[in-house]
Amino acid sequence: MKSSSNSILGAISKSKMVLAIVLSISLLATGCSAQWISIALADLPVLTQMALNIGTIVATLQSGKQISSTDATAIQNISEQASKDLNLLETLYNEYKANPSASALQKIQSVIADINQNLPALLQAAHVGDPVLSARIAAAVNLILTTVASFATLIPQTSTRSTAQTMAHPVVAIAIPKASDLKKQWNQQVCGPTSNSTFDFSAAGCTVR
């Protein structure tokens, strides 16, 4: 009888241990999920403001007849495409947060892939005449691209990714900049003083606050 009682107590103890492990894993998974979503949702409004500010810069310079209409149109296309894609990405992150699903995750990955394809193509096609302006627009686009690419590294791996694939192509951890760091980088790299006073963007709606 004593032996039976001990067996039951042992079984209960093991069950509690298993339950505790399962709960711990569940909490860790939830925490990771919350983290990768919250980081993106904190940074995306800043990135969208950056994209909009590219357009503000161009409008200001164009109104002063400091750049050609061709350059203005090319840069405005970058601003509009980036703004549209980033707004969509933020919407999808919010949808996934409210209702997690494989299809929602796939949509996020698809938009990130589109951003990585669309913006470099538009930047390459822009052919901005002034080298200072060209370098600043390139810095703006690259900051957006590198940040969005860093989001992709946080996305949970799908079950379709095999162990062999993971070993062959391990996910490399990338430091994700905080919103305050993004603003600082943008204001230094894109809006800081230039060698050409014509393109000193400090008063042209460039700064992100």
Side-chain angles (χ1 to χ4, degrees):
M1 188 75 177
K2 197 173 202 177
S3 175
S4 175
S5 178
N6 287 338
S7 298
I8 293 171
L9 288 172
I12 292 173
S13 179
K14 286 181 181 178
S15 296
K16 286 182 177 179
M17 187 181 297
V18 171
L19 179 60
I21 292 170
V22 170
L23 287 173
S24 296
I25 293 171
S26 175
L27 287 170
L28 284 171
T30 303
C32 291
S33 175
Q35 185 186 39
W36 72 269
I37 295 171
S38 62
I39 288 174
L41 288 177
D43 284 355
L44 278 166
V46 179
L47 294 178
T48 303
Q49 187 59 57
M50 291 175 180
L52 292 171
N53 282 13
I54 293 173
T56 303
I57 293 167
V58 174
T60 303
L61 294 175
Q62 189 178 26
S63 66
K65 298 182 179 179
Q66 295 162 310
I67 59 173
S68 69
S69 58
T70 302
D71 284 355
T73 299
I75 298 171
Q76 191 66 47
N77 287 340
I78 293 173
S79 173
E80 290 174 359
Q81 185 66 55
S83 300
K84 183 181 79 171
D85 288 344
L86 291 166
N87 274 318
L88 176 56
L89 189 59
E90 184 175 0
T91 297
L92 292 174
Y93 267 95
N94 277 310
E95 287 179 357
Y96 184 89
K97 183 179 180 181
N99 184 26
S101 67
S103 62
L105 196 62
Q106 189 173 15
K107 288 177 183 178
I108 289 173
Q109 292 169 321
S110 178
V111 172
I112 289 176
D114 286 344
I115 291 172
N116 288 332
Q117 181 176 348
N118 293 338
L119 294 190
L122 287 172
L123 182 62
Q124 187 174 7
H127 300 299
V128 178
D130 187 273
V132 175
L133 179 59
S134 179
R136 291 304 175 101
I137 298 303
V141 171
N142 286 334
L143 185 55
I144 292 171
L145 287 172
T146 53
T147 306
V148 170
S150 70
F151 295 163
T153 66
L154 292 182
I155 295 175
Q157 296 300 309
T158 60
S159 57
T160 55
R161 184 181 174 99
S162 66
T163 303
Q165 287 176 314
T166 303
M167 291 177 67
H169 303 285
V171 177
V172 179
I174 296 177
I176 315 297
K178 296 178 181 178
S180 58
D181 295 330
L182 276 178
K183 292 176 184 179
K184 184 177 180 180
Q185 290 178 51
W186 173 272
N187 294 337
Q188 289 177 343
Q189 296 174 23
V190 182
C191 307
T194 70
S195 58
N196 184 341
S197 59
T198 302
F199 301 117
D200 190 341
F201 303 142
S202 61
C206 176
T207 304
V208 175
R209 301 186 185 282

